[in-house]
Amino acid sequence: MADGSKNKVRSLLNWQRVQKHLRWLLKQSIQTTHSRILTCGFLVGLVYLPLWIGILIRSTILGASTSILNIAFGYLGLERLWQKRREIVRLTATEEEQLVGYAFILGGAIAFFFCYASISMQALLVVVIAVGMAYSTWGMPFFKQYWPWLSLVLLSLYPDWVFLSNAIREVITPPQMFEELMAWSGSLVLQAMGYPATRRGTYLSLPQGSVEVASGCSGFDMAFLIVGASIALGLFLRQKWGKIVLVAFLGAILALILNIPRIVLLTFASVYWGKQSFEFWHGPIGGQIFSGILLTIYYYVAMGLFTQKLENNR
């Protein structure tokens, strides 16, 4: 038999196996009331999935790289829960717990389709549905025993933690605190280089022109990302929380310090080098370059501290 015919036969057999599994899943999904309600929640998750992926891709292209947190938290949580799967499947929800879980699933599913204008609300409702699915299947013991890893999975479902963290920051900190700090720091660096730079609010000015340090250039976004990466890396390496907090703090300081030369470079690009240069360094490519430099330096700093701890534990 020719190779082409063999490949066609294999493809046909594989497709038949896939169809067999799909028919089995369909049968299981409508077999009981519990499975039908879980399927309802699962279908809402499938509707939300393209939106979730799209936002992660967009943030990565723009240089925010928040997808690192979602993927890391999701992987860590699911991996640890998978390790405990034999213990988890022995858990059973009571009738009361099932009813509460069903209310979460069905209420979240209905509300989801009325919230197309808000990704944040959709993400929150998907979390509510996921909690309801777990609660109605395994009950409260599951949450008591595995809440750290379940929390990581639920955190990974929100697609833009930088946006949410900025919203919280604006509430609990003075207005434009980080933006003014970066403008002031940039003016000091330019003055040290011999340029007559001045700072007024969030504006960094030279005689030939000025630039505004907006929210996206405050350094807070990357500092937040580094803190999240520190938590994920520390949990993956099974570090103590004291070490994780130290690495997160040093990483956040590093992100803010390295953002200062970025502000200086953007000022030069805007004032002296022209619009195309500014758009390059301020756009996705420039953002990825700065993110790559920061994450590379941070990686060696973090691994130096974490590795030292690992060696001491041997």
Side-chain angles (χ1 to χ4, degrees):
M1 185 180 293
D3 290 341
S5 299
K6 290 181 179 179
N7 290 334
K8 290 180 179 179
V9 171
R10 290 195 194 98
S11 299
L12 180 60
L13 292 175
N14 290 334
W15 175 239
Q16 289 176 343
R17 292 192 190 99
V18 170
Q19 288 180 315
K20 181 179 179 181
H21 289 308
L22 288 175
R23 284 195 295 268
W24 180 84
L25 286 173
L26 179 61
K27 182 179 178 180
Q28 293 296 316
S29 67
I30 60 175
Q31 194 169 24
T32 65
T33 300
H34 180 70
S35 64
R36 287 193 287 270
I37 295 177
L38 290 185
T39 300
C40 177
F42 180 73
L43 291 175
V44 173
L46 288 180
V47 174
Y48 173 70
L49 183 62
L51 302 174
W52 183 81
I53 293 175
I55 293 176
L56 294 188
I57 293 174
R58 185 187 66 185
S59 65
T60 300
I61 292 174
L62 294 176
S65 300
T66 54
S67 57
I68 293 175
L69 300 185
N70 295 86
I71 294 172
F73 286 166
Y75 170 80
L76 283 171
L78 291 173
E79 191 263 343
R80 299 294 169 84
L81 291 175
W82 179 254
Q83 289 179 355
K84 302 292 184 179
R85 64 189 182 278
R86 291 185 177 85
E87 301 172 13
I88 293 174
V89 295
R90 297 192 188 102
L91 301 175
T92 305
T94 64
E95 291 186 8
E96 292 80 7
E97 289 171 336
Q98 284 186 335
L99 291 175
V100 173
Y102 295 161
F104 275 55
I105 296 170
L106 297 176
I110 294 171
F112 180 88
F113 294 100
F114 290 93
C115 296
Y116 273 114
S118 174
I119 296 297
S120 293
M121 281 302 302
Q122 287 186 329
L124 176 61
L125 290 170
V126 168
V127 169
V128 170
I129 291 170
V131 168
M133 293 172 72
Y135 194 74
S136 64
T137 304
W138 301 302
M140 184 56 72
F142 173 75
F143 289 84
K144 290 181 178 179
Q145 296 178 44
Y146 306 107
W147 68 266
W149 314 119
L150 176 64
S151 298
L152 290 178
V153 175
L154 297 178
L155 287 173
S156 72
L157 296 177
Y158 191 86
D160 196 348
W161 279 103
V162 168
F163 168 79
L164 184 60
S165 65
N166 270 296
I168 296 172
R169 171 178 71 93
E170 291 173 0
V171 173
I172 64 176
T173 62
Q176 299 182 316
M177 182 182 76
F178 282 89
E179 292 83 351
E180 291 187 2
L181 174 63
M182 285 296 113
W184 174 74
S185 301
S187 67
L188 292 182
V189 171
L190 286 169
Q191 290 169 13
M193 296 171 63
Y195 291 90
T198 58
R199 194 269 303 183
R200 184 175 181 180
T202 59
Y203 284 87
L204 178 57
S205 300
L206 291 168
Q208 294 85 353
S210 62
V211 294
E212 180 184 9
V213 180
S215 176
C217 297
S218 67
F220 177 83
D221 293 2
M222 289 305 300
F224 178 84
L225 174 63
I226 291 297
V227 170
S230 300
I231 295 173
L233 187 60
L235 291 174
F236 179 76
L237 297 175
R238 300 179 186 275
Q239 300 292 297
K240 293 183 178 179
W241 275 106
K243 180 68 71 171
I244 294 174
V245 171
L246 175 62
V247 171
F249 174 76
L250 293 177
I253 296 299
L254 177 65
L256 293 175
I257 291 174
L258 291 182
N259 192 58
I260 298 172
R262 179 177 181 238
I263 296 296
V264 172
L265 179 61
L266 289 173
T267 301
F268 283 144
S270 175
V271 175
Y272 297 117
W273 301 340
K275 182 178 179 181
Q276 281 189 329
S277 179
F278 176 79
E279 290 179 349
F280 173 84
W281 288 109
H282 193 258
I285 296 176
Q288 291 290 0
I289 291 173
F290 283 113
S291 297
I293 294 172
L294 170 61
L295 291 175
T296 300
I297 297 174
Y298 161 77
Y299 173 80
Y300 286 106
V301 172
M303 290 306 297
L305 292 170
F306 284 150
T307 303
Q308 181 182 13
K309 180 65 176 179
L310 290 171
E311 291 176 350
N312 291 338
N313 289 337
R314 289 177 183 175

